[in-house]
Structure formats: C-alpha cells, structure tokens
Amino acid sequence: QAKNAGRNAVCFFDPEMQAVATANATLATDLRQAWRENQFLIDYQPQVGADGRMSGVEALLRWRHPHRDLVAPADFISTAEETSLIIPIGRWVLEQACAQLAEWARRPDRRHLSIAVNVSVRQFRHPDFVDEVMTAIADAGIAPHKLKLELTESLLAEGIEVTVAKMGSLKDMGVTLSLDDFGMGYSSLSYLKRLPLDQLKIDKAFVKDILTDANDAAIARTIIGLAQSLGLSVIAEGVETREQRDFLAQQGCLEYQGYLFCKPLPIEELEQFIDRQAG
Ligand code: C2E
Ligand code: MG
Ligand code: MG
Ligand code: MG
C-alpha cells in the first residue's frame, strides 16, 4: 500500500509526466473547440480489387486546425476517446459516410462503391451505438451492406459475449464488418471464429517489409489463410509498391489499399479520381 502510494506520488511530481498531462489538457480543450467550430474533415482512400477497379473507400478523419498543420488522427483520436468527444465526432463521420453513399447510389458509375468507417472502442461500447448506425442508414436511405464498419481487436477487451452480441445486431442489420489492423492485437483464434465478420484487414505493419522480412511474410500468409478458411474476404492496407501487391496477390489477397493506388483524398479530388478511372 505505502509502496504504491509512494510510487504514485513520485509519478505525480515527475515534471515530464506533468508536461504530458498539461499537453493532454490543452489538446482536449482544442478538440472541444474544433468540434464546436467544425474543423473536422473526412478524406477518402480508395480500396481496389485485383483488377485495379475500385470497390470502395475508407473514410479517414482529418482535423484542420486554423493555425496549425493538419493534425494526424494518431495525435488526437486517443484524446477524443478520453474526453468522449469521439461519440459525437464518430456519429458525424458515420452520417457523412451514409450521406455520401446515398449520393453515389444515384449514380450508375458509383453505386457499387462501399464506404468503410473506423469505429473506436469507446464508440462501440456506447449503449446507443447500434441504434445510431440504424438511424444513420435509415435517414440516408442506403443499402446497409454498402456501409462497412472497421472494428479492432481491442473491442474484445470488453468481453467476448457482449462484443459478439453487438456485432450480431449490426450484422443482422446488413452492415459489413471488417477487423482492422489485424495481427496487431491479441485475439485468439477461437474468439475470431465466433465474431460475425465479413473481412480481415492486414495491418500495414506487416505489409511494409513483406518482401524482406520472412516473419512478416509468414504472418501475412497466415492471415490470408485464416480468412480463407473462415470464409472471409481479406484486404491489405499500406500497399505502397507493385512488388508488395504482387506478393499479396500470389498469397491470395485480392483487395488492397495504399499509396500505390491512391492516397487519402478530399471528396472533390476523390470524385475526380473516380472519373479518371472510369474514363
Ligand atoms: P487505419 O484505420 O488503420 O487507417 C489506415 C492508415 O494508413 C491511415 O492513416 C492512412 O492514411 C494510412 N495509409 C494509407 N495508405 C498508406 C500507405 O500506403 N502507406 C502508409 N504508410 N500509410 C498508409 P491515418 O489517416 O493517419 O489514420 C490513422 C488511424 O486513425 C486509422 O488507422 C484509424 O485507426 C484512426 N482513424 C482515422 N479516422 C478515424 C475515424 O473517423 N474514427 C476513428 N475512431 N478512428 C479513425
Ligand atoms: Mg481503418
Ligand atoms: Mg487499418
Ligand atoms: Mg493500421
């Protein structure tokens, strides 16, 4: 007891920790203001099939601070989670994605496209989450399967039963479910089997050195095999070179996302990219 208290006391007065705490508090204040002032944007990154044809996009949140460079999600998502701001922001991303899908549904050259939306643990855990997804789909009047939710293995920390039940409700609604950053987490295979998934997404950490690192290649191969035996589709993120794409294709991964094809783009530029692809 006394030992713990002593350790905590030391931590509390650690100037470095103090600096981090202050920076976090500032970021939280900035984020609240950013949300009030509509400083968030969404970029969209194409997902393509083996034939190079776009199957959809992933929606990626951007924060355009008026006096700073673009802030990367990695630098603010965790604070958005801690402050619960991720709840309204996440709902907004979902609504934007559904509205975009509704617009594409009216255009024959775009109606096949899906949109993947990242869902944070905090958002998924929220008791209203399933209802919010249902409302967003109904309000936009879209086909549910066009909406793909990207979940991560960290959801499982909440407990397998709750997670399976919630995912089941989403699945029943017709939404597509993908497991993002797969291979980075700790889900056991027996858990994985119970999740009502449609897709595994190979984390870019394994794609990066797939040609030179035998371990990464083995992990990628294992994930692809796993997806095949579970009857799931598989997509690789962070594909930057033709060689990586070819290697993945040889192993049976036929969907890709990465700079080789296109970086994340603002909607206007994405529309141009789609037009160029079609033309
Ligand atoms: P993620 O979902 O795994 O997204 C993929 C990340 O890889 C994106 O980073 C994307 O810009 C980046 N990327 C795409 N192609 C390449 C490539 O060829 N090479 C490399 N090195 N990177 C590539 P980004 O946009 O910085 O997003 C980082 C993370 O932030 C996302 O990882 C996701 O976990 C989170 N995030 C983004 N938007 C949202 C959101 O709306 N809600 C929530 N909860 N999280 C989000
Ligand atoms: Mg993602
Ligand atoms: Mg990912
Ligand atoms: Mg990732």
Side-chain angles (χ1 to χ4, degrees):
Q1 267 285 12
K3 218 168 153 190
N4 276 337
R7 195 155 61 216
N8 287 340
V10 170
C11 284
F12 188 78
F13 293 110
D14 183 330
E16 215 166 292
M17 296 266 298
Q18 192 67 48
V20 170
T22 308
N24 277 342
T26 308
L27 183 59
T29 307
D30 284 2
L31 269 179
R32 275 189 208 96
Q33 183 176 3
W35 174 240
R36 279 197 307 272
E37 297 181 0
N38 306 316
Q39 291 171 11
F40 292 102
L41 303 168
I42 299 171
D43 278 355
Y44 295 93
Q45 185 177 35
Q47 299 184 330
V48 307
D51 55 2
R53 213 171 98 93
M54 247 177 94
S55 55
V57 296
E58 177 175 8
L60 292 160
L61 188 60
R62 300 289 178 254
W63 176 14
R64 169 120 14 236
H65 192 286
H67 309 298
R68 263 195 258 157
D69 287 336
L70 210 64
V71 190
D75 296 331
F76 68 83
I77 292 283
S78 64
T79 304
E81 285 225 337
E82 284 155 23
T83 55
S84 293
L85 271 170
I86 197 67
I87 304 294
I89 296 172
R91 191 188 306 130
W92 175 77
V93 175
L94 199 60
E95 288 165 357
Q96 293 291 112
C98 289
Q100 190 57 57
L101 283 169
E103 205 177 305
W104 284 344
R106 290 191 290 269
R107 304 183 56 175
D109 58 341
R110 283 158 165 70
R111 63 171 51 131
H112 64 286
L113 299 172
S114 62
I115 300 185
V117 170
N118 292 284
V119 177
S120 80
V121 178
R122 184 77 182 255
Q123 215 184 338
F124 184 85
R125 270 192 200 157
H126 195 279
D128 295 340
F129 180 65
V130 173
D131 281 344
E132 280 174 15
V133 174
M134 192 155 14
T135 305
I137 289 172
D139 287 355
I142 56 158
H145 70 275
K146 292 282 165 46
L147 178 67
K148 191 195 283 181
L149 297 181
E150 291 197 357
L151 310 172
T152 57
E153 290 168 87
S154 48
L155 290 182
L156 291 169
E158 194 188 1
I160 182 81
E161 304 300 336
V162 196
T163 307
V164 168
K166 244 186 194 183
M167 286 176 70
S169 310
L170 294 164
K171 196 72 227 150
D172 289 346
M173 229 185 276
V175 170
T176 302
L177 299 178
S178 180
L179 199 56
D180 202 357
D181 303 335
F182 189 67
M184 295 303 279
Y186 44 79
S187 35
S188 77
L189 298 183
S190 57
Y191 278 6
L192 191 62
K193 197 182 68 182
R194 294 191 51 197
L195 301 179
L197 287 164
D198 299 285
Q199 183 179 68
L200 297 182
K201 193 166 188 183
I202 304 173
D203 194 85
K204 57 178 180 294
F206 305 118
V207 174
K208 190 168 170 286
D209 298 321
I210 205 168
L211 299 166
T212 51
D213 186 322
N215 291 325
D216 287 347
I219 292 170
R221 224 183 340 259
T222 303
I223 296 173
I224 295 164
L226 201 55
Q228 286 168 346
S229 51
L230 292 171
L232 308 176
S233 71
V234 62
I235 182 169
E237 69 175 17
V239 181
E240 297 184 358
T241 69
R242 241 169 257 286
E243 291 73 21
Q244 289 169 340
R245 194 262 323 267
D246 293 347
F247 182 89
L248 285 158
Q250 269 165 28
Q251 305 302 324
C253 175
L254 304 176
E255 264 193 273
Y256 324 93
Q257 184 179 336
Y259 301 154
L260 171 64
F261 307 96
C262 191
K263 61 178 189 184
L265 297 173
I267 188 67
E268 305 77 31
E269 289 174 48
L270 176 77
E271 295 284 5
Q272 290 166 11
F273 177 86
I274 299 172
D275 288 335
R276 276 200 305 278
Q277 265 218 332

